[in-house]
Amino acid sequence: MEITRSFLLHSSCSELPIRTPFRHSQVAASSFSIPITPRTHIRKPLAASCSASDGGDSSSAAKVSVADLSSAVKNKAMDITPELKGTSIFLVGMKSSMKTSLGKLLANALRYYYFDSDSLVEEAAGGESAAKSLRVADINGFRESETEVLKQLSSMGRLVVCAGDGAVQSSTNLALLRYGISIWIDVPVDLVASGMVEDQSQLPALNLSASASYQEVLTHLSTSYEEARGGYETADATVSVEELACQLGYDDLGDVTTENMALEVLKEIEKLTRVKKMMEAAARPF
């Protein structure tokens, strides 16, 4: 299966460098056999949750303007670009409007190319409907398509990829993510469910009718989350909407912007590149 046609949307994509693994740790094939205790998705009020976890005062922080945040994101991206050296970024986590918007913003700030792995799988299968049919009729063939897409994406640099759940549900795919930096974008399941109920266009992809209730969507997403959570947790770093809201002193998760998340992701990437640089320096012979 080829995805070259998608890459040709940008004429310069043919010049993207071939990548070597960002880190060399091995993924244990048995990592998915570890029992995961389901956790409830009914959250405590955010202010109470923040005060319990970090003692922060949720009412004290003033919100930074979007213009200032956009400038901060661009400046941070410029700061880390030399050390990043074209390493691709893979965003894992539940499919959501936040994750998609974040991926596009990061790609723009880093001057990278943006791709959604699920969209590429659908395109290779002949469209969304054909991909759904393939998944039902031949799940192994569908998983092979996901792996082939990841294999091609991971061989290139200067990409921001919103990775689908298939990317974290096999040791082979997790190993491919090692060719870049993986970040778990942790958006609360109930927030994702609310967004999908509002934007009903995403429901058919979950095999749910456009009239599905919030509770039906939440139940479906909660099951999917628990199945993929073990894979999410193998990411190089995690950026949580809920934790970031606490840090910023926001009372409402909806106040966390894409720019807030992008800045936090870039900070995590900066930490990872520094650690890698230190390890490389330590490994050099005297």
Side-chain angles (χ1 to χ4, degrees):
M1 178 188 62
E2 293 294 331
I3 60 172
T4 307
R5 183 160 56 92
S6 298
F7 283 100
L8 290 178
L9 290 173
H10 303 284
S11 60
S12 60
C13 281
S14 59
E15 301 174 2
L16 295 177
I18 301 300
R19 306 306 303 169
T20 54
F22 180 76
R23 59 192 178 101
H24 300 280
S25 58
Q26 297 297 314
V27 181
S30 61
S31 60
F32 294 99
S33 64
I34 300 174
I36 298 174
T37 303
R39 66 183 185 187
T40 179
H41 300 294
I42 300 176
R43 290 177 285 107
K44 295 181 290 185
L46 188 58
S49 175
C50 289
S51 60
S53 61
D54 58 19
D57 181 358
S58 64
S59 63
S60 63
K63 296 179 179 62
V64 181
S65 72
V66 173
D68 288 342
L69 277 173
S70 296
S71 178
V73 168
K74 290 178 181 178
N75 290 337
K76 179 59 69 175
M78 289 176 62
D79 288 344
I80 70 172
T81 294
E83 296 301 328
L84 197 53
K85 298 177 181 177
T87 301
S88 291
I89 311 300
F90 293 92
L91 304 182
V92 302
M94 299 200 73
K95 189 178 184 70
S96 66
S97 57
M98 168 63 82
K99 182 180 163 190
T100 300
S101 299
L102 176 59
K104 293 177 179 178
L105 177 58
L106 288 170
N108 182 61
L110 292 167
R111 298 188 177 183
Y112 274 24
Y113 299 98
Y114 170 80
F115 289 102
D116 182 297
S117 66
D118 281 347
S119 295
L120 292 175
V121 171
E122 289 175 2
E123 182 178 338
E128 182 179 344
S129 178
K132 287 175 64 177
S133 298
L134 175 62
R135 185 167 191 158
V136 172
D138 183 9
I139 186 61
N140 290 332
F142 183 83
R143 294 302 183 198
E144 288 174 4
S145 296
E146 290 180 315
T147 298
E148 181 61 26
V149 165
L150 278 176
K151 191 178 296 183
Q152 294 191 43
L153 290 172
S154 64
S155 71
M156 301 179 183
R158 301 186 63 81
L159 304 180
V160 173
V161 178
C162 273
D165 281 350
V168 299
Q169 292 184 327
S170 79
S171 57
T172 298
N173 291 352
L174 285 171
L176 291 172
L177 296 184
R178 297 289 188 266
Y179 284 82
I181 295 175
S182 56
I183 309 289
W184 176 14
I185 306 304
D186 189 9
V187 182
V189 179
D190 51 351
L191 201 63
V192 177
S194 296
M196 287 193 170
V197 170
E198 291 176 9
D199 179 14
Q200 298 177 339
S201 64
Q202 299 183 56
L203 294 178
L206 302 178
N207 290 321
L208 294 173
S209 69
S211 60
S213 68
Y214 167 78
Q215 192 57 49
E216 288 175 317
V217 176
L218 179 62
T219 299
H220 182 96
L221 291 177
S222 296
T223 300
S224 298
Y225 174 85
E226 294 302 337
E227 290 174 351
R229 181 176 152 199
Y232 296 156
E233 291 174 343
T234 67
D236 296 308
T238 300
V239 175
S240 163
V241 171
E242 194 163 6
E243 290 182 7
L244 187 55
C246 288
Q247 292 173 23
L248 297 173
Y250 292 172
D251 294 320
D252 190 336
L253 293 182
D255 290 335
V256 177
T257 66
T258 306
E259 287 79 12
N260 289 139
M261 292 289 287
L263 189 57
E264 196 67 17
V265 168
L266 292 172
K267 289 177 181 177
E268 291 297 329
I269 292 172
E270 183 176 41
K271 293 177 188 176
L272 290 166
T273 55
R274 284 178 178 173
V275 170
K276 182 173 185 283
K277 186 176 181 180
M278 290 171 59
M279 292 176 65
E280 289 174 345
R284 292 194 195 103
F286 291 103

